[in-house]
């Protein structure tokens, strides 16, 4: 029973992190170098934990540690965030906005970013 619980948490973390980086499942499977069918199984918690080499590929593609994906501990991104430092002042400003102002701003930013992503495909 404990294994199933861990697997369910693994699946939830995996799904959440894939959504966080903004890829669909097919794109993520390609980025991680794994089969989409295998990824589907991990996301549905129907397969056992991925083999170590696959878990390493998945974690690397997400910029996370394998430990975080398996246990939920040490949620440190391994991706270099130095390119995002230029947006620190904007993030500080967004943090003080009330939800009724922040929600439409987030929607606008998301729509613009999605449009740019489509152009690059």
């Amino acid at each position: 029973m404990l294994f199933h619980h861990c697997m369910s948490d693994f699946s939830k973390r995996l799904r959440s992190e894939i959504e966080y980086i903004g890829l669909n499942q097919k794109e993520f499977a390609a980025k991680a170098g794994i089969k989409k069918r295998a990824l589907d199984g991990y996301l549905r918690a129907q397969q056992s934990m991925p083999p170590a080499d696959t878990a390493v590929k998945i974690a690397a593609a997400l910029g996370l540690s394998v430990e975080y994906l398996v246990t939920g501990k040490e949620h440190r991104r391994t991706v270099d965030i130095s390119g995002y430092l230029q947006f620190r002042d904007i993030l500080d400003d967004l943090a003080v906005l009330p939800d009724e102002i922040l929600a439409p701003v987030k929607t606008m930013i998301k729509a613009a970013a999605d449009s740019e992503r489509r152009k690059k495909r």
Side-chain angles (χ1 to χ4, degrees):
M1 195 63 135
L2 179 59
F3 179 76
H4 178 68
H5 177 70
C6 290
M7 194 57 206
S8 175
D9 290 345
F10 172 85
S11 297
K12 288 177 188 173
R13 278 189 288 278
L14 179 57
R15 182 177 304 281
S16 174
E17 294 297 334
I18 291 170
E19 289 172 4
Y20 177 79
I21 64 172
L23 296 178
N24 66 39
Q25 292 172 12
K26 183 178 179 182
E27 293 167 331
F28 178 74
K31 179 178 180 177
I34 64 173
K35 293 184 177 180
K36 167 91 168 49
R37 186 175 177 144
L39 178 62
D40 291 343
Y42 304 137
L43 290 170
R44 287 191 308 267
Q46 291 178 337
Q47 293 182 358
S48 60
M49 291 289 253
D53 61 329
T54 302
V56 169
K57 289 178 183 180
I58 290 170
L62 291 168
L64 297 169
S65 69
V66 174
E67 180 180 4
Y68 170 72
L69 285 176
V70 174
T71 68
K73 295 179 183 172
E74 286 196 30
H75 187 207
R76 285 188 232 141
R77 293 208 167 268
T78 58
V79 175
D80 178 17
I81 64 164
S82 60
Y84 296 100
L85 295 178
Q86 64 182 322
F87 303 112
R88 185 180 296 163
D89 59 331
I90 295 170
L91 295 173
D92 289 341
D93 291 342
L94 291 173
V96 299
L97 295 177
D99 285 342
E100 63 269 10
I101 295 173
L102 188 58
V105 170
K106 287 170 66 175
T107 300
M108 180 187 69
I109 291 170
K110 175 79 171 124
D114 287 347
S115 174
E116 290 301 311
R117 284 185 193 104
R118 283 191 295 277
K119 288 179 187 176
K120 293 179 181 180
R121 288 185 188 161

